[in-house]
Every structure is written in C-alpha cells, then in structure tokens.
Amino acid sequence: MTEAEIRQLVLGIIADIVPDQDLSQIRDDEPLRDQLGLDSMDFLDIVMELRRRYRMQIPEEDYPRLATVAGTIEYLKPRLAQLAPG
Amino acid sequence: MTDFDVVVIGGGLSGLSAALRLALFGYRVCLVEQQPRLGGMNTYFERDGKTIETALHALTNWPGGNGPASPWRLILRQLRLPSAEFPLAPQAFSQIRLGGTFLNFGNDFRLFLEEAKRFPAGDQVGLFVDRSLLPYSLWACPAGFGSARKVLLEWLGNSPLLPMIYLPVAAFGAATEGDMPFGVFSMLFRAIFAEGLCRPVGGIKALLTLLHRQLERYGAFLLLRQRVAAIRTAGDQVLAVTLQNGESITARQFVSTIGWPETWALLQDNAGTARQSQSPPAGRISFLEVIAELSCPPAELGFRPSMLFYCLKDECDFRAPSELIEPRLGAVCAPGNFQYPDPASEPMAKTMRLTCLAAYDQWASLPAGQYQTEKMKAAEKLLTTLASLGWDIRPAIVNIEVTTPLTLARYTGRSQGAVYGSPHKLWDGKTPFANLFLAGTDQGLPGVVGALLSGIIVVNQHLLPKA
C-alpha cells in the first residue's frame, strides 16, 4: 500500500468517526487533537476501527504515535505491509 | 437457538446507544424490545394522524451555550451521527414557582445567577457552583457522593432557593424520595441550569428515527415485539436469554437496560429455578401525565415559559404521595414555546404536558371500574391547579390523554412505573454475573442524555476490548 493510499485509509476512518468535520484542510504534521478537537475516546475509536478493518492490535503505549496523520501513516505502513497477501 | 456476540435487553435510549456502539465495531448484536416501537419510556404513538410523544419534556445540556463541552457533542460522535442531522431548539425561558414567588432561568446561566440574588443566600449560588458542585466528568459514573440536601443546606440554609433549585433537578432525575445523591445532583444541576434546556426539532420521533436508521446501517439485529422471559445463568455466567415464545438466544455478553429489580426478576439457574435471594427495591417516584391538545399554541393563551416547575405545598418534599396524585407539585411543558426554526411544523407545538407526582400503589389498588373516572378526575385537578397559577387552558383543550403509573408500568415493564428506576443503583454497571452488565437508569445516569451516555459508557468500559 502506498503512502497516499494509507493516507486515504486514515482519513476515511477519521471521517467515519467525526462526521461533522471538514477534513479537506487537514495538515498532516499537526496533532489531530488540536485540529479536530479529538479526545481520548475518539482515539479509542480509531484504534477500534483499525482492529475491525485490518485485525490490527495496537498496544496502548503506541497511541501517541497516532497523534498526527503523518505519524499514523508511518506507524501503519510496515504493519499493513505485513498483512498484505503474498 | 440463535447465537450473537452480545444481546441487549430493552430498546430504550440506553439500549439503543449500547447496541449501536457495539454494531459500529462489527459486533453481532441482537437488541430485544417488547414493544413494536423503540424508545422505551421516551416514545410516541400516532392517533388520528397526529404524533403524540410520551415522557420527554425537554432535553438537558443545550449544546449552544457557553458551558463546558456538551455531552451531546460526545454522544453524537460516539454514535457517529452528524450534528446537522439532529437539530435542537433551545428553550425561551423556564420558570420555577414556589408558593407565590418565582424564579426564571434560561440557557444563559447568568440569568439564573441574577434571579437568585433576589432571594436570601442568593449571592451564595455562584460560590456554591464554583466550590461545591462536583466537576463535570462525562466518562466517570456519578456514584453517590453523599446527600445533596445536606450540601444545599450548608450553602442555602432555609432560603426558598433550596426547594426552588431542588425541584427541577429532582423532576429530571431523582430516583429517591426526599433527597438524592450529590453526584447525580451535580450532574443534573449543570445539565439544567448551566447548560440549559432544548427539544429535538421533530420531537423524540426524530431522535428515535435517527438511531433506528443508524442501527440498521451498521447491521444490528432488532427483535421487536419480543419479551425476554428469563435470563439463564450458571455460576457467575449468563448463558442465554429465553424469549416469551420459548426461543433461546445465546451470546458471549449481555447488557440489560430494563432496570435492576426487573433484570433480577428474570434471573434463573439453568434448571429454570428463580433466584431465592432478595430482590433490589423498586423505585417509588412515578408521575401522572396529562397531554392536553389545544386549539392554538400555548403562547396565545398567555402561557409563555418553555417549562414551568411548581410547588404549592408548605413543605416542598419530592416523594410519592399518600393519595393518587400530588397536584401541588409538578412540571408543565409547552413544546410550542421552544425556539424552533419552523414552529408550525412541530408535531407537539399545540400541546401542553402537565405532570405531577403520583403513587403507583394507590393506582394499583383502585377497584377496576374506577380507573377511568379517577384518571379524568386527576387530569381535572391538575388543570385546576394550573388555572390557580394564572393559566386556565381548559377552554382551549380539544383532546386529552392521561398516563398514570400503571400505564408506565404496563408499557415499559418498569416495576411500580418508577420513572427513574430503583433507588439502588449499580454505578459501575457491573452485576454479580461476569458477562452481564447494566446500562440505563439503574446504572445511575438519568434522563435522555443520561440514558444515551450510559449505554455508551458501559459498552466502552466493559464490552469493548481494552486495546
């Protein structure tokens, strides 16, 4: 999966979780918490959504790495590659 | 025999939010509701082409004010509902009447604080809010935290402000007589006075439709018109629920939202023997409600408040009366006096809802032939009381519906028609059974906002895996 594809995936999950927010102006390097007002409950939802869609387990100590879109892409890239068939 | 991940018992607001929360994450969830319609206590029916709501007067926690982050924002997010699909109409103002005096409040907390200053100890209210009221925590269950009356007495003494403040809070969620846990009081005080009141545009039907659609979208299985007849257990595990038609549904986990005494009554060991230990107590706070359909909006009859809370008794104690009803202590709602974008299209705009304390045991022991007569007599008493306060709406009434504690008990299955459930709460949502959790009123969060939050909190804390 390319970074652009992973970015789409991440934004898709966020769009599901916070349907009120306009994501077109999102800046990848700034904390989602500041830009979208996400709180810890919303982060739990992101983690749960990754678990549901990709059967991916994310330990709690890794949550800080999901603070930005860029961080999330970087975190997911090797893990999604492992899941890819073949 | 059917198998699910989770069975949710009861399709009231807490059951709906719990089931939806689970469905969002792909759980195979089955929600069992005995009525043909969702909503439980807060529902509606159609008569002569008109929609008539039950129970809901106003929603608390108006999200448009300057209070702390509204729980509505969190609820909608957690249920993945865009707020644009759930517009809320704020109140104009509401009034508390105590004997011959009154206090107005609105969705700007400063009005309440100003009004309070007209009464003894009024300058203490701001301090009380800052120093004594518990901080707002949406994710912690309120627990007990002692007596609300005791704290209020320390701040307000014998000022009429004490009953004036206590009355709306109790009306929105006291499960206990005479006093209530300070944790619940704090939450409701902020919800009613600091944030304010509103109504969903389109009424409760709009909210239920939204939740129903979302549940279907995420694949929850809704089993309507089916009553759970038994909850079968072995050791500290629930194995299955048995429906009234004899079918069984197994699941890994169970959430009951029907109340703690009501859940208790269904528990059986696997041989079908009921549990012998003592049931938790049923609540005693119930209401009689008159839904008066009018020929014009209430404002045209001179009734301008969105809600009116009144107590005309010498001692304003909130408890089940020794008569059928206590007409001197009640709440009146005029849905038409909320600020809708399009008032004419609101289903309840030309109605008024009059509610007062009522005693289940008194209604239950009436001889069969007297029930209808007593219902109408009670309605007349309530309307007379409202007239004595200066609002005689009787000439404008075109139709009347009356619900009693018996109606509530029959329709919702709640013991003694106790609107806010048992006085015995399970604050953490845990039961003696490892895979059975309690959400809704008897988990301790009252009202529509409380119910929706309760379903979410219990699922987040106990059913979703700890990541």
Side-chain angles (χ1 to χ4, degrees):
Chain A
M1 215 181 256
T2 67
E3 282 195 15
E5 285 166 342
I6 299 175
R7 186 174 189 275
Q8 272 318 304
L9 175 164
V10 172
L11 291 185
I13 289 176
I14 296 172
D16 267 359
I17 289 167
V18 287
D20 276 352
Q21 300 279 352
D22 170 19
L23 302 180
S24 62
Q25 303 298 316
I26 209 155
R27 292 171 300 275
D28 287 9
D29 293 321
E30 281 180 34
L32 289 164
R33 184 181 292 269
D34 301 343
Q35 295 185 74
L36 303 175
L38 296 192
D39 58 28
S40 55
M41 296 311 301
D42 297 319
F43 277 101
L44 177 66
D45 278 34
I46 294 177
V47 171
M48 287 294 301
E49 222 19 69
L50 288 165
R51 175 202 285 263
R52 183 176 75 84
R53 293 188 193 184
Y54 304 102
R55 306 270 156 225
M56 191 184 285
Q57 305 287 341
I58 301 177
E60 197 166 348
E61 59 265 28
D62 288 354
Y63 285 11
R65 299 181 63 183
L66 309 179
T68 63
V69 174
T72 310
I73 295 170
E74 192 189 337
Y75 181 81
L76 292 180
K77 204 172 171 184
R79 286 166 179 79
L80 287 167
Q82 277 175 15
L83 298 174
Chain B
M1 177 105 83
T2 326
D3 184 60
F4 286 89
D5 292 325
V6 184
V7 168
V8 176
I9 308 171
L13 289 163
S14 59
L16 295 176
S17 70
L20 178 50
R21 202 56 203 143
L22 291 159
L24 290 178
F25 297 112
Y27 283 67
R28 292 174 305 122
V29 52
C30 174
L31 179 123
V32 189
E33 164 57 43
Q34 60 178 346
Q35 297 294 342
R37 186 164 281 152
L38 298 172
M41 191 82 74
N42 292 282
T43 188
Y44 62 94
F45 57 94
E46 315 274 355
R47 184 156 297 171
D48 306 329
K50 288 177 191 138
T51 302
I52 300 171
E53 281 181 359
T54 62
L56 174 81
H57 279 165
L59 299 174
T60 56
N61 305 88
W62 160 243
N66 47 11
S70 168
W72 279 112
R73 180 186 149 272
L74 274 149
I75 289 168
L76 295 177
R77 265 194 185 189
Q78 287 274 305
L79 303 180
R80 300 199 189 159
L81 298 166
S83 51
E85 289 183 22
F86 185 57
L88 293 166
Q91 67 170 331
F93 74 99
S94 292
Q95 189 170 88
I96 305 165
R97 287 275 283 262
L98 185 75
T101 57
F102 71 94
L103 181 152
N104 290 335
F105 69 96
N107 287 0
D108 183 339
F109 191 39
R110 289 169 298 187
L111 172 63
F112 174 83
L113 293 174
E114 277 308 305
E115 282 276 285
K117 286 180 187 156
R118 296 194 283 113
F119 297 90
D123 50 353
Q124 297 290 302
V125 175
L127 287 173
F128 159 70
V129 171
D130 288 343
R131 295 196 192 154
S132 210
L133 218 52
L134 296 176
Y136 213 77
S137 171
L138 289 173
W139 301 112
C141 306
F145 300 115
S147 153
R149 277 211 179 261
K150 185 163 169 274
V151 182
L152 286 170
L153 265 170
E154 280 164 17
W155 283 95
L156 304 173
N158 60 0
S159 166
L161 280 175
L162 196 158
M164 281 179 144
I165 290 174
Y166 190 78
L167 180 58
V169 174
F172 269 102
T176 43
E177 298 185 275
D179 198 352
M180 67 194 291
F182 188 59
V184 179
F185 177 90
S186 289
M187 193 167 183
L188 283 170
F189 180 97
R190 290 186 196 279
I192 297 163
F193 295 117
E195 296 184 14
L197 304 178
C198 53
R199 280 180 57 85
V201 173
I204 194 71
K205 187 179 179 179
L207 176 59
L208 293 173
T209 307
L210 197 59
L211 290 168
H212 194 160
R213 220 172 46 211
Q214 193 78 330
L215 280 162
E216 294 200 323
R217 183 175 161 205
Y218 284 95
F221 186 72
L222 305 180
L223 200 53
L224 300 176
R225 294 190 175 88
Q226 285 290 347
R227 202 167 63 76
V228 171
I231 301 172
R232 295 216 319 274
T233 67
D236 74 340
Q237 294 287 316
V238 171
L239 308 175
V241 296
T242 305
L243 303 177
Q244 208 173 21
N245 66 8
E247 278 178 45
S248 282
I249 307 175
T250 54
R252 289 185 292 114
Q253 291 174 301
F254 299 81
V255 178
S256 175
T257 67
I258 62 173
W260 183 220
E262 296 77 2
T263 303
W264 190 269
L266 299 179
L267 292 167
Q268 294 182 354
D269 67 23
N270 214 20
T273 313
R275 295 175 63 85
Q276 296 302 313
S277 45
Q278 200 181 352
S279 163
R284 286 175 46 81
I285 299 296
S286 193
F287 299 124
L288 176 116
E289 178 161 72
V290 175
I291 305 169
E293 193 192 325
L294 307 170
S295 56
C296 63
E300 286 179 26
L301 302 170
F303 190 90
R304 304 212 166 263
S306 303
M307 284 199 72
L308 169 74
F309 304 88
Y310 65 86
C311 179
L312 309 174
K313 294 164 70 182
D314 291 336
E315 199 190 340
C316 190
D317 55 349
F318 197 84
R319 56 179 71 244
S322 50
E323 314 276 314
L324 290 167
I325 60 167
E326 175 47 270
R328 293 172 301 168
L329 194 153
V332 179
C333 177
N337 289 349
F338 285 71
Q339 297 171 310
Y340 297 108
D342 178 16
S345 67
E346 272 306 303
M348 298 289 287
K350 286 190 194 170
T351 59
M352 276 176 81
R353 312 260 296 273
L354 290 73
T355 304
C356 73
L357 286 165
Y360 174 85
D361 47 5
Q362 299 289 324
W363 286 95
S365 57
L366 276 179
Q370 283 181 30
Y371 182 63
Q372 289 302 328
T373 327
E374 289 298 335
K375 256 169 77 163
M376 286 305 138
K377 273 198 215 162
E380 184 55 34
K381 274 188 196 161
L382 262 186
L383 290 163
T384 310
T385 307
L386 186 63
S388 79
L389 291 169
W391 295 289
D392 192 353
I393 64 167
R394 287 171 293 191
I397 292 177
V398 291
N399 185 39
I400 265 191
E401 304 280 345
V402 183
T403 62
T404 71
L406 291 187
T407 323
L408 289 171
R410 264 201 302 262
Y411 183 82
T412 66
R414 188 71 62 75
S415 307
Q416 304 195 146
V419 172
Y420 298 119
S422 169
H424 181 94
K425 302 300 184 197
L426 300 183
W427 302 108
D428 61 3
K430 287 187 188 169
T431 72
F433 297 88
N435 63 341
L436 171 65
F437 302 96
L438 199 80
T441 301
D442 280 349
Q443 183 258 315
L445 296 173
V448 171
V449 171
L452 290 168
L453 274 177
S454 175
I456 293 170
I457 291 173
V458 168
V459 165
N460 286 357
Q461 287 191 349
H462 300 308
L463 285 96
L464 297 183
K466 301 281 175 285

